[in-house]
């Protein structure tokens, strides 16, 4: 019995005329498969996926079951309720996802072509993937992605209509944060006397984090916080209220000399000799919304060289310098960061390729994103919460039309992405689906639901994937006005697979809601049925100007 006990980010398989690839993260996996147009069985009605879960140590089978969907055949004897097993109602597409995997288990996925007629289906060739998900931490790099949404069927099933605060034992909050907030609290708790924690933060609203830093101070850890403090805005007031409430205002520096906002979210952990050794960073502020209701990423690096350059950046900000102007003295912020970048350019910062700090006088983050977009060979996955800048839009539009370009932005940026929804370019915004197929579909959108992760992933199935990730929103202001940090990670297939699979989890979540709303606008009945004839697959093999399904099939099977 073949059981995978080692993590691989991309697992490939073939069987007869079927072939495919599986992208495996920590909590999410994306399965894609393909078959030549002229090799399709004449009675191919779709595909079914059977999942077997194992204990990787004992090889014991923990559970076996078919992955489910909601679409069914119109005249089927429906005894399955809302969810229909894929061996009875096969997936009429060439990819599917599983967002329920755990790093403590191993899995086998059997993908069957389903042949025959509705109600009388037989299994054809079987494509088998044996996989083991990634641990949260591997080789000194921890990657944590929260679920970031209560407005989902999964939340409704588990917690009904209750606000997370009203669910006993905090189980709803734990389900939503999925280790992200815990990674921050653990990072702080790991600091011992007489070590040091240096914090740079935009929104310091969370009492648990404030108390954790206070507890660290009380046990002999040197703690200092640089926080956003632009005069007159709400974030500044909430930051100062929390610092006073926790009794740690005296160990905090107000970052007042910002061009716009002091938008960083990172902590450097220094040892007893004040040598940097660990780093916590990425997109999550210290707030209820960031931990539970927005999509966010947290990264933990046990890599001293990387922590060292963040410490150098922290030291610059802790002096609260002014942003500066052209030909200004070297005491100004932009000049100091330029000097730091000179050091970064000559330093090996493994496991990352480089780090970009802001503000400087160049649009370095935007330029890096454009460079990656231009070099993409098959796929671009972009989470850009507050819109996509004009230069990035131009780069996307100038790309080869065969490159799939999938993106997410918040509803406030809806107008900015209107032109990015055609053929292989598809961008969407968050949408709640209150009812569908005659039942409640999503729970209430408790909190401020937003796309908040700032990530760009290029070619995650390829030999040289790349990820651009951090606090910046891919805008000119994030480069020239804000305090920001971004990491470029090249060639790390695990890193790319985890970030890409989590992006696709949210992308598919909101894409489906967008198209359901479109059907409602066109007054098409909301209960859509499976095609009862094999012609369902024709569009996947027809390269048209309107359909993205042709390239979706090729790319997600890991072929081109």
């Amino acid at each position: 019995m073949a059981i995978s006990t080692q993590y691989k980010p991309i697992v490939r398989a073939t069987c007869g005329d079927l072939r495919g690839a599986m992208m495996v993260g920590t909590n999410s996996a994306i399965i894609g498969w393909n078959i030549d147009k002229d090799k399709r069985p004449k009675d191919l009605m779709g595909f079914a996926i059977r999942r077997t879960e194992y204990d990787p140590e004992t090889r014991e089978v923990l559970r076996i079951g078919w992955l489910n969907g909601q679409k069914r055949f119109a005249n089927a004897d429906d005894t399955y309720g809302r969810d229909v097993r894929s061996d009875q109602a096969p997936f009429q597409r060439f990819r599917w996802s599983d967002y329920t995997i755990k790093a403590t288990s191993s899995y086998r996925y059997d993908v069957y072509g389903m042949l025959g007629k509705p109600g009388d289906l037989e299994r054809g060739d079987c494509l088998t993937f044996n996989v083991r998900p990634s641990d949260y931490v591997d080789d000194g790099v921890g990657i944590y992605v929260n679920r970031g949404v209560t407005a989902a069927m999964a939340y409704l099933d588990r917690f009904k209509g209750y606000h997370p605060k009203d669910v006993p034992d905090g189980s709803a909050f734990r389900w939503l944060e999925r280790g992200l907030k815990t990674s921050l609290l653990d990072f702080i708790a790991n600091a011992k006397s007489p070590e040091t924690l240096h914090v740079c933060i935009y929104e310091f609203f969370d009492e648990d984090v404030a108390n954790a830093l206070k507890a660290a101070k009380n046990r002999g850890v040197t703690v200092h916080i640089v926080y956003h403090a632009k005069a007159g805005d709400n974030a500044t007031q909430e930051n100062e209220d929390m610092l006073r409430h926790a009794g740690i205002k005296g160990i905090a520096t107000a970052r007042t000399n910002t061009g716009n906002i002091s938008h960083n979210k990172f902590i450097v952990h220094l040892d007893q000799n004040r040598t940097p050794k660990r780093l916590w960073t990425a997109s999550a502020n210290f707030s209820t919304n960031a931990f539970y209701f927005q999509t966010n990423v947290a990264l933990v690096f046990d890599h001293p060289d990387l922590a060292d350059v963040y410490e150098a950046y922290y030291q610059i900000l802790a002096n609260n310098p002014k942003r500066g102007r052209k030909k200004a003295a070297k005491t100004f912020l932009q000049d100091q960061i330029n000097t730091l970048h000179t050091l970064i350019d000559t330093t090996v910062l493994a496991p990352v390729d480089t780090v970009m700090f802001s503000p400087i006088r160049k649009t370095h983050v935007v330029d890096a994103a454009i460079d990656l977009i231009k070099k993409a060979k098959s796929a671009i996955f972009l989470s850009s919460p507050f819109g996509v800048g004009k230069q990035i839009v131009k780069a996307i539009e100038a790309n080869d039309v065969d490159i799939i370009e999938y993106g997410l932005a918040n509803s406030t940026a809806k107008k900015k992405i209107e032109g990015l929804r055609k053929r292989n370019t598809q961008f969407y915004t968050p949408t709640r689906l209150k009812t569908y197929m005659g039942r409640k579909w999503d729970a209430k959108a408790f909190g401020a639901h937003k796309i908040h992760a700032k990530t760009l992933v290029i070619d995650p199935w390829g030999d040289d994937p790349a990820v651009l990730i951090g606090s910046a929103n891919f805008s000119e202001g994030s480069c020239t006005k804000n305090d920001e940090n971004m990491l470029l990670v090249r060639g790390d297939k695990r890193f790319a697979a985890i970030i890409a699979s989590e992006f696709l989890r949210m992308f598919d979540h909101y894409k489906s809601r967008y198209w359901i709303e479109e059907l409602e606008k066109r007054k098409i009945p909301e209960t859509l049925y499976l095609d009862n004839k094999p012609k369902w697959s024709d569009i996947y093999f027809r390269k048209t100007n309107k359909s993205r399904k042709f390239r979706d099939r090729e790319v997600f099977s890991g072929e081109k």
Side-chain angles (χ1 to χ4, degrees):
M1 179 171 56
I3 297 176
S4 178
T5 58
Q6 300 295 321
Y7 171 70
K8 291 183 179 180
I10 304 295
V11 178
R12 301 180 189 275
T14 59
C15 177
D17 294 323
L18 284 175
R19 67 264 185 192
M22 190 164 177
M23 182 195 300
V24 187
T26 299
N27 298 111
S28 300
I30 315 297
I31 314 167
W33 55 89
N34 200 0
I35 189 172
D36 292 339
K37 180 178 180 180
D38 58 356
K39 297 292 180 64
R40 289 176 295 170
K42 293 181 180 180
D43 55 350
L44 178 64
M45 297 304 299
F47 295 88
I49 303 176
R50 183 176 63 191
R51 187 183 87 164
T52 305
E53 182 178 356
Y54 300 93
D55 182 314
E57 304 300 326
T58 66
R59 296 179 175 264
E60 175 189 0
V61 175
L62 302 178
R63 57 189 61 82
I64 302 175
W66 294 92
L67 298 191
N68 298 330
Q70 280 81 47
K71 281 189 177 182
R72 60 209 71 205
F73 293 111
N75 298 320
D77 180 15
D78 188 1
T79 59
Y80 295 99
R82 183 195 70 196
D83 294 330
V84 190
R85 285 172 30 174
S86 55
D87 64 328
Q88 301 296 320
F91 306 131
Q92 291 186 337
R93 55 189 303 178
F94 284 84
R95 67 173 167 104
W96 200 253
S97 303
D98 186 357
Y99 302 128
T100 63
I101 61 176
K102 306 185 295 289
T104 52
S105 294
S106 290
Y107 299 89
R108 170 177 168 148
Y109 293 84
D110 296 311
V111 182
Y112 292 95
M114 299 303 293
L115 314 177
K117 296 180 179 180
D120 186 22
L121 296 173
E122 295 182 356
R123 301 177 203 168
D125 287 345
C126 174
L127 196 61
T128 297
F129 300 92
N130 284 293
V131 302
R132 175 77 185 270
S134 174
D135 288 327
Y136 285 106
V137 180
D138 184 69
D139 197 22
V141 180
I143 306 173
Y144 303 86
V145 186
N146 64 356
R147 284 189 170 87
V149 61
T150 57
M153 184 194 304
Y155 186 93
L156 184 63
D157 284 347
R158 286 167 176 76
F159 308 113
K160 312 307 175 190
Y162 293 106
H163 191 285
K165 65 182 175 59
D166 297 324
V167 176
D169 303 322
S171 58
F173 281 128
R174 286 194 299 276
W175 186 84
L176 288 164
E177 66 104 1
R178 198 168 59 176
L180 187 150
K181 180 178 180 180
T182 301
S183 76
L184 174 59
L185 296 176
D186 287 348
F187 187 93
I188 296 169
N190 188 261
K192 311 299 181 186
S193 176
E195 297 178 330
T196 299
L197 292 173
H198 284 159
V199 183
C200 282
I201 187 63
Y202 173 52
E203 292 182 349
F204 192 101
F205 302 167
D206 188 84
E207 189 170 5
D208 292 337
V209 177
N211 288 337
L213 289 169
K214 182 179 181 180
K217 177 180 177 294
N218 290 342
R219 64 176 177 267
V221 177
T222 300
V223 179
H224 195 267
I225 303 158
V226 175
Y227 68 95
H228 169 80
K230 187 175 181 179
D233 69 10
N234 292 333
T236 299
Q237 188 61 53
E238 288 195 58
N239 287 341
E240 295 184 342
D241 288 347
M242 180 55 67
L243 291 165
R244 278 192 292 267
H245 175 74
I248 54 176
K249 185 73 164 57
I251 58 172
T253 293
R255 180 79 177 96
T256 56
N257 290 328
T258 59
N260 188 16
I261 56 177
S262 187
H263 200 234
N264 288 300
K265 313 97 168 47
F266 71 83
I267 305 181
V268 180
H269 180 182
L270 299 86
D271 66 16
Q272 66 271 22
N273 298 316
R274 296 183 68 82
T275 300
K277 66 175 186 176
R278 303 181 75 222
L279 170 70
W280 185 99
T281 188
S283 67
N285 288 300
F286 302 167
S287 70
T288 296
N289 283 331
F291 296 140
Y292 307 118
F293 302 130
Q294 302 168 348
T295 61
N296 270 307
V297 181
L299 304 172
V300 180
F301 294 96
D302 289 318
H303 290 268
D305 289 342
L306 182 59
D308 189 56
V309 297
Y310 271 80
E311 172 64 11
Y313 180 50
Y314 163 85
Q315 291 294 339
I316 293 172
L317 298 181
N319 290 317
N320 194 28
K322 293 182 179 180
R323 185 161 60 105
R325 57 188 182 274
K326 275 192 172 183
K327 298 182 180 179
K330 64 181 180 180
T331 55
F332 285 107
L333 175 60
Q334 290 176 322
D335 301 280
Q336 293 182 65
I337 294 176
N338 277 334
T339 300
L340 177 56
H341 278 146
T342 301
L343 172 65
I344 290 170
D345 290 341
T346 59
T347 304
V348 176
L349 297 176
V352 309
D353 189 72
T354 193
V355 181
M356 286 164 270
F357 295 121
S358 296
I360 63 172
R361 297 188 183 95
K362 299 178 182 178
T363 55
H364 54 338
V365 173
V366 173
D367 294 344
I370 291 171
D371 183 62
L372 291 174
I373 289 167
K374 288 180 176 180
K375 292 178 179 177
K377 296 178 180 178
S378 63
I380 296 166
F381 300 141
L382 175 61
S383 176
S384 186
F386 301 104
V388 185
K390 291 181 180 179
Q391 296 305 313
I392 294 179
V393 171
K394 287 181 180 179
I396 291 172
E397 292 176 337
N399 256 353
D400 190 301
V401 294
D402 282 342
I403 296 174
I404 64 170
E405 301 159 325
Y406 293 168
L408 288 170
N410 286 319
S411 53
T412 53
K414 190 171 288 187
K415 289 186 178 179
K416 295 181 180 180
I417 64 168
E418 282 180 348
L420 297 175
R421 196 176 296 124
K422 53 190 176 183
R423 197 176 175 183
N424 296 319
T425 301
Q426 298 288 317
F427 277 61
Y428 299 99
T429 58
T431 303
R432 183 186 172 208
L433 185 59
K434 295 181 180 180
T435 60
Y436 180 53
M437 294 177 66
R439 64 176 294 273
K440 289 180 68 175
W441 205 258
D442 285 348
K444 186 177 178 181
F446 300 111
H449 283 271
K450 290 182 180 179
I451 301 301
H452 199 257
K454 303 93 166 56
T455 60
L456 172 62
V457 185
I458 303 297
D459 300 336
W461 290 273
D463 293 330
D464 188 28
V467 181
L468 188 58
I469 186 170
S471 70
N473 284 300
F474 300 108
S475 66
E476 181 178 347
S478 290
C479 302
T480 63
K481 294 182 180 180
N482 299 348
D483 298 349
E484 305 273 11
N485 70 94
M486 291 293 275
L487 298 159
L488 175 59
V489 183
R490 285 184 176 276
D492 189 325
K493 296 181 180 181
R494 169 182 175 261
F495 203 108
I498 293 174
I499 301 301
S501 62
E502 292 299 331
F503 166 85
L504 288 164
R505 173 177 62 91
M506 297 311 299
F507 178 81
D508 285 343
H509 181 77
Y510 289 126
K511 177 191 71 175
S512 64
R513 282 152 176 74
Y514 170 84
W515 286 109
I516 288 168
E517 285 189 345
E518 285 296 301
L519 293 174
E520 289 177 349
K521 291 176 185 177
R522 301 172 194 175
K523 301 191 182 302
I524 297 173
E526 66 174 17
T527 302
L528 298 178
Y529 295 104
L530 295 172
D531 197 323
N532 61 7
K533 295 181 180 179
K535 62 181 176 61
W536 69 270
S537 66
D538 289 351
I539 192 171
Y540 284 91
F541 295 88
R542 189 183 305 132
K543 195 172 183 178
T544 70
N545 289 328
K546 294 183 178 180
S547 174
R548 69 181 184 281
K549 294 184 177 181
F550 181 93
R551 278 297 287 159
D552 197 276
R553 169 182 56 84
E554 292 183 327
V555 171
F556 278 80
S557 63
E559 293 188 351
K560 299 179 181 180

